[in-house]
């Protein structure tokens, strides 16, 4: 059984945020703790309004059109993610947001994400060096099939074949 770190992170994040509230509250007091939470919320809202949700729509549309989202789209998208993390009350999420806003961390994330993009070259889009299918590694998980390579024969007794609908 393979263990994934994401569900454990999602389960432990609220507990870590509560622990952060307790530690910070004991150190600086309740009023300053609430002031910090409200300040991070306001900063997050300002950043979100500045960048706007439009950047996420633009990334989605470029992905659907077969264009690999570039570094110029990732920077504002990471600002949107950081602003959402700042809006969430908690000091751990604020720390992650601040890390996302640091340029060397962004460059590290770009290097990690860029090699996972796969662009399907269809229509007038010509493959560039980052997505040339002929230079794919032999152990790649992507299988490129044409319409002639893949077809599905309908099963005659399948309720989804449409033959039994009019009977």
């Amino acid at each position: 059984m393979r263990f994934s770190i994401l569900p454990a992170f999602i389960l432990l994040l609220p507990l870590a945020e509560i622990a952060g509230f307790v530690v910070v509250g004991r150190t600086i007091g309740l009023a300053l703790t609430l002031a910090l939470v409200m300040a991070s919320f306001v900063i997050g809202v300002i950043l979100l309004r500045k960048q706007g949700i439009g950047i996420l729509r633009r990334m989605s549309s470029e992905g659907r059109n077969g264009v690999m989202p570039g570094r110029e789209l990732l920077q504002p998208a990471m600002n949107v993610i950081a602003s959402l993390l700042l809006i969430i009350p908690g000091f751990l999420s604020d720390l992650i947001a601040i890390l996302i806003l640091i340029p060397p961390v962004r460059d590290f994330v770009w290097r990690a994400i860029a090699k996972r993009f796969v662009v399907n070259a269809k229509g007038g889009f010509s493959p560039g060096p980052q997505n040339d299918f002929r230079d794919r590694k032999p152990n790649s998980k992507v299988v490129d099939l044409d319409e002639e390579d893949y077809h599905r024969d309908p099963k005659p007794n399948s309720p989804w074949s449409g033959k039994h609908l009019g009977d």
Side-chain angles (χ1 to χ4, degrees), residues 78-152:
M78 290 182 81
N79 281 346
V80 169
I81 292 169
S83 64
L84 291 173
L85 286 172
L86 284 171
I87 290 172
I88 296 171
F91 295 108
L92 186 62
S93 59
D94 292 348
L95 181 67
I96 294 170
I98 291 169
L99 286 175
I100 289 174
L101 292 172
I102 298 172
V105 175
R106 287 183 183 200
D107 292 338
F108 173 76
V109 170
W110 172 250
R111 285 191 302 270
I113 289 176
K115 57 185 165 187
R116 294 177 189 242
F117 279 123
V118 175
V119 178
N120 184 6
K122 211 172 195 182
F125 180 75
S126 61
Q130 73 273 11
N131 54 5
D132 192 0
F133 297 117
R134 293 178 297 267
D135 297 333
R136 187 173 291 129
K137 297 177 187 173
N139 61 352
S140 175
K141 295 179 184 178
V142 177
V143 177
D144 188 24
L145 298 175
D146 293 330
E147 289 182 28
E148 298 86 35
D149 296 333
Y150 177 78
H151 67 281
R152 188 180 286 184

Side-chain angles (χ1 to χ4, degrees), residues 18-53:
I18 292 169
F21 280 127
V22 170
V23 170
V24 172
R26 282 187 179 168
T27 304
I28 65 173
L30 177 63
L32 285 177
T33 302
L34 292 177
L36 281 175
V37 170
M38 291 305 296
S40 71
F41 176 81
V42 169
I43 292 170
V45 169
I46 290 170
L47 276 175
L48 189 60
R49 284 183 59 104
K50 182 180 174 188
Q51 289 299 319
I53 300 298

